Short mmCIF file of all heavy atoms in Angstrom, two decimals:
data_model
loop_
_atom_site.label_atom_id
_atom_site.label_comp_id
_atom_site.label_asym_id
_atom_site.label_seq_id
_atom_site.Cartn_x
_atom_site.Cartn_y
_atom_site.Cartn_z
N TRP A 72 -47.98 245.54 31.92
CA TRP A 72 -48.13 246.14 30.53
C TRP A 72 -49.08 247.46 30.62
O TRP A 72 -48.65 248.55 30.16
CB TRP A 72 -48.74 245.09 29.62
CG TRP A 72 -49.00 245.81 28.28
CD1 TRP A 72 -48.16 246.03 27.29
CD2 TRP A 72 -50.29 246.41 27.82
NE1 TRP A 72 -48.74 246.68 26.25
CE2 TRP A 72 -50.00 246.93 26.54
CE3 TRP A 72 -51.56 246.57 28.52
CZ2 TRP A 72 -51.04 247.61 25.82
CZ3 TRP A 72 -52.54 247.13 27.72
CH2 TRP A 72 -52.32 247.67 26.48
N PRO A 77 -50.31 254.77 28.45
CA PRO A 77 -51.05 255.92 28.85
C PRO A 77 -52.46 255.48 29.28
O PRO A 77 -52.98 254.40 28.83
CB PRO A 77 -51.10 256.82 27.63
CG PRO A 77 -50.80 255.87 26.46
CD PRO A 77 -49.94 254.76 26.99
N ALA A 78 -52.98 256.17 30.32
CA ALA A 78 -54.29 255.82 30.78
C ALA A 78 -55.37 256.30 29.92
O ALA A 78 -56.05 257.35 30.09
CB ALA A 78 -54.52 256.37 32.22
N THR A 79 -55.58 255.58 28.82
CA THR A 79 -56.52 256.02 27.79
C THR A 79 -57.58 254.99 27.53
O THR A 79 -57.42 253.83 27.94
CB THR A 79 -55.82 256.37 26.43
OG1 THR A 79 -55.31 255.06 25.93
CG2 THR A 79 -54.74 257.36 26.58
N ARG A 80 -58.65 255.34 26.82
CA ARG A 80 -59.69 254.36 26.45
C ARG A 80 -59.06 253.24 25.66
O ARG A 80 -59.48 252.11 25.77
CB ARG A 80 -60.80 255.11 25.68
CG ARG A 80 -61.84 254.06 25.32
CD ARG A 80 -63.11 254.71 24.73
NE ARG A 80 -64.12 253.76 24.51
CZ ARG A 80 -65.13 253.77 23.74
NH1 ARG A 80 -65.41 255.02 23.18
NH2 ARG A 80 -65.99 252.78 23.53
N GLU A 81 -58.16 253.56 24.74
CA GLU A 81 -57.60 252.58 23.90
C GLU A 81 -56.71 251.54 24.70
O GLU A 81 -56.76 250.35 24.46
CB GLU A 81 -56.74 253.09 22.78
CG GLU A 81 -57.46 253.81 21.67
CD GLU A 81 -58.52 252.82 21.08
OE1 GLU A 81 -58.24 251.62 20.81
OE2 GLU A 81 -59.77 253.14 21.04
N THR A 82 -56.01 252.07 25.73
CA THR A 82 -55.34 251.09 26.56
C THR A 82 -56.32 250.22 27.38
O THR A 82 -56.03 249.11 27.53
CB THR A 82 -54.48 251.95 27.60
OG1 THR A 82 -53.48 252.67 26.85
CG2 THR A 82 -53.72 250.96 28.58
N ARG A 83 -57.38 250.76 27.88
CA ARG A 83 -58.44 250.05 28.55
C ARG A 83 -58.94 248.93 27.62
O ARG A 83 -59.18 247.69 28.02
CB ARG A 83 -59.54 250.85 29.05
CG ARG A 83 -59.15 251.83 30.19
CD ARG A 83 -60.41 252.48 30.73
NE ARG A 83 -60.42 253.74 31.33
CZ ARG A 83 -59.63 254.82 31.13
NH1 ARG A 83 -58.65 254.71 30.31
NH2 ARG A 83 -59.86 255.92 31.80
N ARG A 84 -59.28 249.31 26.36
CA ARG A 84 -59.82 248.27 25.42
C ARG A 84 -58.82 247.19 25.19
O ARG A 84 -59.23 246.03 25.11
CB ARG A 84 -60.24 249.01 24.12
CG ARG A 84 -61.35 249.94 24.26
CD ARG A 84 -61.69 250.67 22.90
NE ARG A 84 -62.72 249.82 22.30
CZ ARG A 84 -63.22 250.20 21.14
NH1 ARG A 84 -62.76 251.19 20.45
NH2 ARG A 84 -64.19 249.45 20.66
N GLU A 85 -57.56 247.61 24.96
CA GLU A 85 -56.62 246.53 24.72
C GLU A 85 -56.34 245.75 25.96
O GLU A 85 -56.18 244.47 25.83
CB GLU A 85 -55.22 247.25 24.30
CG GLU A 85 -54.08 246.30 24.07
CD GLU A 85 -54.34 245.40 22.81
OE1 GLU A 85 -55.22 245.71 21.97
OE2 GLU A 85 -53.70 244.33 22.73
N LEU A 86 -56.36 246.29 27.14
CA LEU A 86 -56.21 245.49 28.35
C LEU A 86 -57.34 244.45 28.53
O LEU A 86 -57.06 243.38 28.82
CB LEU A 86 -56.13 246.41 29.62
CG LEU A 86 -55.96 245.73 30.95
CD1 LEU A 86 -54.72 244.88 30.96
CD2 LEU A 86 -55.94 246.76 31.99
N ILE A 87 -58.60 244.84 28.33
CA ILE A 87 -59.66 243.93 28.56
C ILE A 87 -59.66 242.83 27.45
O ILE A 87 -59.90 241.79 27.66
CB ILE A 87 -61.00 244.70 28.56
CG1 ILE A 87 -62.09 243.73 29.31
CG2 ILE A 87 -61.52 245.08 27.26
CD1 ILE A 87 -61.96 243.51 30.80
N ALA A 88 -59.20 243.21 26.26
CA ALA A 88 -59.09 242.26 25.14
C ALA A 88 -57.97 241.18 25.41
O ALA A 88 -58.17 240.01 25.22
CB ALA A 88 -58.78 242.89 23.78
N ALA A 132 -56.12 248.85 37.33
CA ALA A 132 -55.37 249.29 36.11
C ALA A 132 -56.44 249.63 35.03
O ALA A 132 -56.12 250.55 34.24
CB ALA A 132 -54.56 248.04 35.53
N LEU A 133 -57.57 249.04 34.98
CA LEU A 133 -58.61 249.38 34.04
C LEU A 133 -59.23 250.77 34.26
O LEU A 133 -59.62 251.50 33.25
CB LEU A 133 -59.75 248.35 34.05
CG LEU A 133 -59.44 247.10 33.30
CD1 LEU A 133 -60.47 246.02 33.66
CD2 LEU A 133 -59.49 247.37 31.81
N CYS A 134 -59.18 251.30 35.48
CA CYS A 134 -59.79 252.57 35.67
C CYS A 134 -58.78 253.63 36.09
O CYS A 134 -59.05 254.72 36.53
CB CYS A 134 -60.90 252.57 36.79
SG CYS A 134 -60.36 252.17 38.42
N ARG A 135 -57.43 253.33 35.73
CA ARG A 135 -56.39 254.24 36.03
C ARG A 135 -56.63 255.57 35.42
O ARG A 135 -57.07 255.70 34.25
CB ARG A 135 -55.04 253.62 35.44
CG ARG A 135 -53.75 254.12 36.05
CD ARG A 135 -52.63 253.32 35.77
NE ARG A 135 -52.62 252.93 34.27
CZ ARG A 135 -51.81 253.59 33.43
NH1 ARG A 135 -50.92 254.54 33.80
NH2 ARG A 135 -51.81 253.24 32.16
N GLY A 136 -56.43 256.58 36.15
CA GLY A 136 -56.76 257.97 35.68
C GLY A 136 -58.12 258.44 36.08
O GLY A 136 -58.40 259.63 35.94
N ASP A 137 -58.90 257.67 36.62
CA ASP A 137 -60.19 258.05 37.10
C ASP A 137 -60.57 257.19 38.33
O ASP A 137 -60.86 256.02 38.24
CB ASP A 137 -61.31 257.72 36.07
CG ASP A 137 -62.76 258.16 36.31
OD1 ASP A 137 -62.93 258.44 37.62
OD2 ASP A 137 -63.61 258.07 35.54
N LEU A 182 -66.48 250.42 30.01
CA LEU A 182 -65.16 251.12 30.01
C LEU A 182 -65.29 252.49 29.34
O LEU A 182 -64.42 253.35 29.65
CB LEU A 182 -64.07 250.24 29.33
CG LEU A 182 -63.78 248.93 30.06
CD1 LEU A 182 -62.74 248.08 29.38
CD2 LEU A 182 -63.21 249.18 31.55
N ALA A 183 -66.11 252.61 28.32
CA ALA A 183 -66.19 253.90 27.60
C ALA A 183 -66.53 255.05 28.53
O ALA A 183 -66.08 256.20 28.24
CB ALA A 183 -67.27 253.66 26.51
N LYS A 184 -67.16 254.88 29.62
CA LYS A 184 -67.50 255.85 30.55
C LYS A 184 -66.44 256.36 31.49
O LYS A 184 -66.45 257.42 32.11
CB LYS A 184 -68.72 255.49 31.35
CG LYS A 184 -69.94 255.28 30.52
CD LYS A 184 -70.71 256.58 30.39
CE LYS A 184 -72.09 256.29 29.77
NZ LYS A 184 -72.82 257.59 29.64
N ILE A 185 -65.38 255.52 31.60
CA ILE A 185 -64.28 255.81 32.52
C ILE A 185 -63.43 256.93 31.97
O ILE A 185 -63.10 256.89 30.83
CB ILE A 185 -63.48 254.50 32.81
CG1 ILE A 185 -64.28 253.46 33.43
CG2 ILE A 185 -62.15 254.87 33.56
CD1 ILE A 185 -63.47 252.13 33.69
N GLY A 186 -63.19 257.90 32.88
CA GLY A 186 -62.42 258.99 32.38
C GLY A 186 -63.28 260.13 31.75
O GLY A 186 -62.69 261.24 31.46
N GLU A 187 -64.45 259.94 31.45
CA GLU A 187 -65.37 260.91 30.82
C GLU A 187 -65.90 261.83 31.96
O GLU A 187 -66.33 261.40 33.00
CB GLU A 187 -66.52 260.23 30.16
CG GLU A 187 -66.15 259.35 28.99
CD GLU A 187 -65.51 260.18 27.88
OE1 GLU A 187 -66.04 261.27 27.52
OE2 GLU A 187 -64.47 259.74 27.35
#
Side-chain angles (χ1 to χ4, degrees):
W72 173 83
T79 64
R80 181 174 183 196
E81 285 310 309
T82 297
R83 292 186 207 31
R84 291 178 96 183
E85 180 64 22
L86 179 56
I87 200 74
L133 279 166
C134 66
R135 202 165 47 99
D137 182 351
L182 295 174
K184 296 272 191 182
I185 295 175
E187 294 295 315

